[in-house]
Structures are given as C-alpha cells and as structure tokens.
Amino acid sequence: MNVRARQREVTRATLLRESRRLFAARGYGAVSLSEIVAAAGVTKGALYHLFESKAELFRAVLEQVQQEVARIVAETADAEDDPWTRFTAGCQAFLTASTAPDIQRIMLVDGPAVLGWNEWRAMDEAGSGSHLADVITELIDQGLIPPQPVAPLTHLLSGAMNEAALWLAASGDPEAHLPDTRAALARMLDALRLP
C-alpha cells in the first residue's frame, strides 16, 4: 500500500471513529459536519474526498456497528457445539449487544430515521437477517424446527428482537429489564422447537 492510500485509510478510520462517538453521544441530527471534521482533525475537503455526504458517512458508521454486532453474535454462537444452543445463544447475544446505548442509537434509532426504512431493512437483511435465515434453515433441515417457509419466521424473529432492544432502550434502565427480556426471548424460541 502506498503512502497516499495508507493516509486515506487512516483518515477514513479517524472519521468513522469520531463520527461514531459523536452520533452515539448526541444522535445524527444534533451533530454537524464541522464538529466531525474538528474532532477528527481533518478538513471538510478530506471528508468529502471519502464520503459524499453526512448521510453516507453515517451509513459507513452503521455498517461498522452492524459488523461489530454480527461478530459478537457469531463468536457467542460458535462457542457452542449443539445447533439449538448455537441458535439460542446467538439470538440472546444479539439482544444483549443491542442494548448498548451507542449501538441502540446508531443501529436501531437513527439507522431507519436517517437512511429510510427500506434502505435500513435492506442492510439489516443483508447482514443479520441473512445469517438468521441460514441458521433457521439448518435447524429445519436437522428436524429441530418444524418444516416451514424460512422468510416469514426470519422476519418475525428479527423484528421481535429489534423491537425488544428498542423497548429496553426506552425503558430507562435496560440493565434491570434485560434478564426478563432474555427470559421472554428464551420462552419464545423454545416454543419453536419440536418436542
């Protein structure tokens, strides 16, 4: 990698880090591009060389957050040997990771508001939705869940987990409500399993 390309990557990483910090603390709408470039120590020209707009910068931050949550879910699930336990551990890990205030604000609150529902859903489906569908297909193939269309079940579970994370965020004390929410999710998932 040449010096210019390396500098570009450093600048991009700095902009993403500072944007994420500011978006998480105050929300997309309350953060200006001037604040972002000042925090990153770069010019607006440098920002516009890498991102066409504040919304495009936010999209890159959202992708980073989604990848981080996906990594947490995968690491948690992959630590389990049993397919059913992998599934439930992954779902619980998503719920727990999504209760972090910065992740909630960026991924669940500002994401749909800034990018629009359709683009946000497309990003969600391409990431966690696709992985969830693969896991459900595997569980059906192994006879752990009754045969059924995968897409509706994937959307129902994804929507329930996203809504639970949003409810936790709005509750004022996510940590206090997380155990009950995790227990409710466990009961819901267990109801899917064949006896």
Side-chain angles (χ1 to χ4, degrees):
M1 184 182 286
N2 67 33
V3 173
R4 183 173 280 175
R6 193 172 305 122
Q7 182 58 43
R8 178 184 163 114
E9 285 305 309
V10 168
T11 301
R12 186 177 195 283
T14 303
L15 283 166
L16 288 173
R17 182 185 68 243
E18 294 303 320
S19 297
R20 179 176 176 167
R21 182 180 62 78
L22 291 166
F23 292 151
R26 300 202 341 260
Y28 176 85
V31 176
S32 70
L33 283 178
S34 297
E35 290 175 275
I36 293 169
V37 296
V42 301
T43 64
K44 277 191 181 179
L47 182 142
Y48 283 123
H49 183 70
L50 296 166
F51 302 98
E52 289 181 12
S53 64
K54 180 179 161 187
E56 186 182 323
L57 175 60
F58 177 82
R59 188 182 203 287
V61 169
L62 175 59
E63 286 174 348
Q64 188 180 66
V65 169
Q66 287 178 323
Q67 290 167 1
E68 180 181 307
V69 171
R71 187 177 64 253
I72 292 167
V73 169
E75 288 172 359
T76 303
D78 291 346
E80 303 295 335
D81 292 329
D82 175 68
W84 182 259
T85 307
R86 269 197 307 275
F87 168 62
T88 58
C91 290
Q92 293 288 0
F94 172 83
L95 184 62
T96 302
S98 297
T99 60
D102 63 326
I103 290 174
Q104 284 178 337
R105 180 181 287 270
I106 291 168
M107 190 169 78
L108 299 172
V109 177
D110 283 349
V114 172
L115 300 179
W117 180 252
N118 290 335
E119 184 175 353
W120 180 82
R121 282 296 304 140
M123 288 177 69
D124 188 54
E125 284 184 40
S128 63
S130 174
H131 180 69
L132 183 58
D134 292 344
V135 172
I136 290 170
T137 300
E138 178 185 333
L139 293 172
I140 291 170
D141 291 346
Q142 293 178 358
L144 295 171
I145 293 178
Q148 60 190 288
V150 172
L153 182 56
T154 300
H155 283 85
L156 284 166
L157 289 177
S158 178
M161 289 184 286
N162 284 339
E163 184 60 31
L166 285 169
W167 176 79
L168 284 166
S171 73
D173 192 358
E175 299 242 346
H177 297 291
L178 184 59
D180 288 340
T181 307
R182 286 177 55 98
L185 177 60
R187 286 189 297 275
M188 186 177 82
L189 297 175
D190 284 344
L192 297 172
R193 189 172 187 178
L194 282 170

